[in-house]
Amino acid sequence: MLTNAMFGDEQRFVFNDSGEISLHFGSHRSNISNSVAVWGCLSSVSNNGQNILKKIDGRLDTKHYKDMLDHYVVEYCKNYPYIHDHFPVHTSLTIKQFISSKSIYVLCDWPKQSGDLMLLENVWIHMAQTFKDRDIVAFDTDSLWIELSALWKKLCVDGYFSDVIQGMPQRLREVIVKDGNWIRNY
């Protein structure tokens, strides 16, 4: 079932004075300099994957999130689960009501401390590591967005997302073996 699920998450990428690209950890406010916030969505629903990366202008709020759900998730998640983390925007009353009104099937009992099981958390780490390994740099937000988009497209073409999704059952087995403890990133 989880290999047919749709996973959604957001992340902010930053660059420093040397142009090195990394993940931003910390505040989710919108005025973080030298950064681009993105929302990503992965799916292999019906073997016709929906792998989307969208730039978030400003801060992700319930209006932005509802729009993205409406455009990219609703049609796919009436029969398959949608999985997102417990970020406050995701669990707001407005979003819960929207999800209910659109009959989106959300896997509600997903563990709260599950970054190792959230596929996109691993994708974000993989992307940041790829930028580092290949010495890909950005010195402004436009070039950062271009690099993010280009790598996302390459990962789609290379089958990386399919591999990550198909590996979900193994990830769950590892968590069970480790009695719920953190597992390695993929």
Side-chain angles (χ1 to χ4, degrees):
M1 174 172 99
L2 290 179
T3 56
N4 287 327
M6 181 176 269
F7 295 83
D9 192 34
E10 54 282 321
Q11 180 62 51
R12 186 173 290 276
F13 288 83
V14 296
F15 60 90
N16 63 19
D17 292 340
S18 302
E20 296 167 344
I21 301 168
S22 62
L23 300 175
H24 172 75
F25 296 102
S27 169
H28 290 282
R29 62 184 205 276
S30 61
N31 61 345
I32 298 166
S33 61
N34 301 340
S35 73
V36 171
V38 296
W39 176 78
C41 191
L42 296 181
S43 172
S44 66
V45 174
S46 303
N47 296 319
N48 188 12
Q50 181 84 338
N51 302 316
I52 300 159
L53 185 69
K54 291 291 178 189
K55 184 177 179 184
I56 300 171
D57 292 319
R59 183 177 180 185
L60 182 68
D61 59 19
T62 55
K63 181 188 180 321
H64 285 113
Y65 194 53
K66 191 164 63 168
D67 288 345
M68 285 188 282
L69 291 174
D70 200 29
H71 286 93
Y72 304 109
V73 175
V74 170
E75 68 179 277
Y76 292 93
C77 290
K78 293 195 185 271
N79 298 314
Y80 299 102
Y82 178 65
I83 299 170
H84 55 188
D85 59 19
H86 296 273
F87 186 63
V89 170
H90 302 169
T91 59
S92 71
L93 181 59
T94 301
I95 295 300
K96 285 181 180 181
Q97 289 171 339
F98 175 78
I99 285 170
S100 178
S101 73
K102 297 291 186 171
S103 300
I104 300 172
Y105 172 28
V106 174
L107 196 58
C108 295
D109 57 352
W110 198 254
K112 287 189 178 187
Q113 301 297 323
S114 64
D116 51 341
L117 291 178
M118 291 301 294
L119 298 184
L120 281 156
E121 294 292 340
N122 291 278
V123 169
W124 306 139
I125 292 167
H126 178 77
M127 289 176 72
Q129 188 62 47
T130 299
F131 291 137
K132 181 179 179 181
D133 292 348
R134 296 181 184 168
D135 294 321
I136 297 170
V137 295
F139 292 98
D140 59 59
T141 56
D142 289 337
S143 62
L144 176 55
W145 172 242
I146 289 168
E147 295 298 343
L148 289 166
S149 298
L151 180 54
W152 185 270
K153 288 175 187 168
K154 182 175 181 351
L155 294 173
C156 283
V157 170
D158 291 349
Y160 173 76
F161 296 136
S162 292
D163 292 345
V164 168
I165 291 167
Q166 295 306 314
M168 192 64 190
Q170 177 60 34
R171 298 172 74 74
L172 292 171
R173 284 190 288 278
E174 287 182 35
V175 166
I176 291 168
V177 166
K178 289 198 166 199
D179 198 26
N181 289 318
W182 200 264
I183 61 171
R184 65 185 166 91
N185 289 325
Y186 281 74

PDB file of all heavy atoms in Angstrom, residues 66 92-103:
ATOM      1  N   LYS A  66      -3.198  24.505   0.772  1.00  0.00           N
ATOM      2  CA  LYS A  66      -4.481  24.064   0.227  1.00  0.00           C
ATOM      3  C   LYS A  66      -4.459  24.114  -1.302  1.00  0.00           C
ATOM      4  O   LYS A  66      -4.930  23.184  -1.959  1.00  0.00           O
ATOM      5  CB  LYS A  66      -5.607  24.937   0.793  1.00  0.00           C
ATOM      6  CG  LYS A  66      -6.981  24.407   0.516  1.00  0.00           C
ATOM      7  CD  LYS A  66      -8.045  25.053   1.390  1.00  0.00           C
ATOM      8  CE  LYS A  66      -8.188  26.509   1.166  1.00  0.00           C
ATOM      9  NZ  LYS A  66      -9.378  27.094   1.788  1.00  0.00           N
ATOM     10  N   SER A  92      -3.428  21.969  10.591  1.00  0.00           N
ATOM     11  CA  SER A  92      -4.342  23.059  10.956  1.00  0.00           C
ATOM     12  C   SER A  92      -5.793  22.651  10.683  1.00  0.00           C
ATOM     13  O   SER A  92      -6.074  21.788   9.838  1.00  0.00           O
ATOM     14  CB  SER A  92      -4.005  24.324  10.166  1.00  0.00           C
ATOM     15  OG  SER A  92      -4.371  24.159   8.809  1.00  0.00           O
ATOM     16  N   LEU A  93      -6.701  23.273  11.379  1.00  0.00           N
ATOM     17  CA  LEU A  93      -8.125  22.989  11.199  1.00  0.00           C
ATOM     18  C   LEU A  93      -8.551  23.259   9.755  1.00  0.00           C
ATOM     19  O   LEU A  93      -9.300  22.471   9.170  1.00  0.00           O
ATOM     20  CB  LEU A  93      -8.960  23.828  12.175  1.00  0.00           C
ATOM     21  CG  LEU A  93     -10.467  23.613  12.116  1.00  0.00           C
ATOM     22  CD1 LEU A  93     -10.823  22.150  12.389  1.00  0.00           C
ATOM     23  CD2 LEU A  93     -11.170  24.535  13.098  1.00  0.00           C
ATOM     24  N   THR A  94      -8.062  24.343   9.162  1.00  0.00           N
ATOM     25  CA  THR A  94      -8.405  24.674   7.782  1.00  0.00           C
ATOM     26  C   THR A  94      -8.005  23.548   6.834  1.00  0.00           C
ATOM     27  O   THR A  94      -8.796  23.143   5.967  1.00  0.00           O
ATOM     28  CB  THR A  94      -7.697  25.978   7.349  1.00  0.00           C
ATOM     29  OG1 THR A  94      -8.102  27.028   8.222  1.00  0.00           O
ATOM     30  CG2 THR A  94      -8.011  26.335   5.915  1.00  0.00           C
ATOM     31  N   ILE A  95      -6.814  23.016   6.996  1.00  0.00           N
ATOM     32  CA  ILE A  95      -6.338  21.937   6.115  1.00  0.00           C
ATOM     33  C   ILE A  95      -7.103  20.654   6.408  1.00  0.00           C
ATOM     34  O   ILE A  95      -7.498  19.937   5.472  1.00  0.00           O
ATOM     35  CB  ILE A  95      -4.817  21.744   6.262  1.00  0.00           C
ATOM     36  CG1 ILE A  95      -4.080  22.998   5.775  1.00  0.00           C
ATOM     37  CG2 ILE A  95      -4.351  20.488   5.526  1.00  0.00           C
ATOM     38  CD1 ILE A  95      -4.327  23.367   4.315  1.00  0.00           C
ATOM     39  N   LYS A  96      -7.348  20.349   7.661  1.00  0.00           N
ATOM     40  CA  LYS A  96      -8.116  19.140   8.000  1.00  0.00           C
ATOM     41  C   LYS A  96      -9.512  19.199   7.372  1.00  0.00           C
ATOM     42  O   LYS A  96      -9.995  18.208   6.828  1.00  0.00           O
ATOM     43  CB  LYS A  96      -8.217  18.964   9.511  1.00  0.00           C
ATOM     44  CG  LYS A  96      -6.940  18.484  10.139  1.00  0.00           C
ATOM     45  CD  LYS A  96      -7.124  18.318  11.642  1.00  0.00           C
ATOM     46  CE  LYS A  96      -5.850  17.831  12.283  1.00  0.00           C
ATOM     47  NZ  LYS A  96      -5.991  17.647  13.723  1.00  0.00           N
ATOM     48  N   GLN A  97     -10.146  20.353   7.422  1.00  0.00           N
ATOM     49  CA  GLN A  97     -11.474  20.509   6.827  1.00  0.00           C
ATOM     50  C   GLN A  97     -11.409  20.379   5.306  1.00  0.00           C
ATOM     51  O   GLN A  97     -12.267  19.751   4.688  1.00  0.00           O
ATOM     52  CB  GLN A  97     -12.082  21.853   7.228  1.00  0.00           C
ATOM     53  CG  GLN A  97     -12.486  21.904   8.682  1.00  0.00           C
ATOM     54  CD  GLN A  97     -12.891  23.310   9.134  1.00  0.00           C
ATOM     55  OE1 GLN A  97     -12.537  24.320   8.517  1.00  0.00           O
ATOM     56  NE2 GLN A  97     -13.641  23.356  10.235  1.00  0.00           N
ATOM     57  N   PHE A  98     -10.388  20.964   4.700  1.00  0.00           N
ATOM     58  CA  PHE A  98     -10.212  20.867   3.252  1.00  0.00           C
ATOM     59  C   PHE A  98     -10.012  19.411   2.843  1.00  0.00           C
ATOM     60  O   PHE A  98     -10.637  18.925   1.899  1.00  0.00           O
ATOM     61  CB  PHE A  98      -9.028  21.722   2.803  1.00  0.00           C
ATOM     62  CG  PHE A  98      -8.725  21.578   1.340  1.00  0.00           C
ATOM     63  CD1 PHE A  98      -9.488  22.238   0.393  1.00  0.00           C
ATOM     64  CD2 PHE A  98      -7.693  20.759   0.914  1.00  0.00           C
ATOM     65  CE1 PHE A  98      -9.221  22.092  -0.961  1.00  0.00           C
ATOM     66  CE2 PHE A  98      -7.413  20.612  -0.436  1.00  0.00           C
ATOM     67  CZ  PHE A  98      -8.184  21.283  -1.372  1.00  0.00           C
ATOM     68  N   ILE A  99      -9.143  18.704   3.540  1.00  0.00           N
ATOM     69  CA  ILE A  99      -8.860  17.295   3.242  1.00  0.00           C
ATOM     70  C   ILE A  99     -10.138  16.477   3.343  1.00  0.00           C
ATOM     71  O   ILE A  99     -10.433  15.654   2.475  1.00  0.00           O
ATOM     72  CB  ILE A  99      -7.754  16.768   4.185  1.00  0.00           C
ATOM     73  CG1 ILE A  99      -6.397  17.323   3.731  1.00  0.00           C
ATOM     74  CG2 ILE A  99      -7.737  15.252   4.263  1.00  0.00           C
ATOM     75  CD1 ILE A  99      -5.264  17.083   4.712  1.00  0.00           C
ATOM     76  N   SER A 100     -10.909  16.726   4.373  1.00  0.00           N
ATOM     77  CA  SER A 100     -12.174  16.008   4.557  1.00  0.00           C
ATOM     78  C   SER A 100     -13.163  16.330   3.437  1.00  0.00           C
ATOM     79  O   SER A 100     -13.792  15.434   2.882  1.00  0.00           O
ATOM     80  CB  SER A 100     -12.771  16.364   5.912  1.00  0.00           C
ATOM     81  OG  SER A 100     -14.004  15.728   6.085  1.00  0.00           O
ATOM     82  N   SER A 101     -13.256  17.602   3.063  1.00  0.00           N
ATOM     83  CA  SER A 101     -14.224  18.002   2.034  1.00  0.00           C
ATOM     84  C   SER A 101     -13.869  17.436   0.659  1.00  0.00           C
ATOM     85  O   SER A 101     -14.750  17.236  -0.175  1.00  0.00           O
ATOM     86  CB  SER A 101     -14.322  19.529   1.954  1.00  0.00           C
ATOM     87  OG  SER A 101     -13.172  20.083   1.344  1.00  0.00           O
ATOM     88  N   LYS A 102     -12.594  17.177   0.422  1.00  0.00           N
ATOM     89  CA  LYS A 102     -12.143  16.644  -0.868  1.00  0.00           C
ATOM     90  C   LYS A 102     -11.964  15.127  -0.838  1.00  0.00           C
ATOM     91  O   LYS A 102     -11.533  14.535  -1.827  1.00  0.00           O
ATOM     92  CB  LYS A 102     -10.819  17.300  -1.285  1.00  0.00           C
ATOM     93  CG  LYS A 102     -10.920  18.786  -1.511  1.00  0.00           C
ATOM     94  CD  LYS A 102     -11.753  19.091  -2.736  1.00  0.00           C
ATOM     95  CE  LYS A 102     -11.726  20.576  -3.032  1.00  0.00           C
ATOM     96  NZ  LYS A 102     -12.335  20.894  -4.304  1.00  0.00           N
ATOM     97  N   SER A 103     -12.283  14.514   0.288  1.00  0.00           N
ATOM     98  CA  SER A 103     -12.160  13.056   0.454  1.00  0.00           C
ATOM     99  C   SER A 103     -10.750  12.545   0.175  1.00  0.00           C
ATOM    100  O   SER A 103     -10.557  11.470  -0.389  1.00  0.00           O
ATOM    101  CB  SER A 103     -13.166  12.321  -0.436  1.00  0.00           C
ATOM    102  OG  SER A 103     -14.476  12.704  -0.110  1.00  0.00           O
TER     103      SER A 103
END
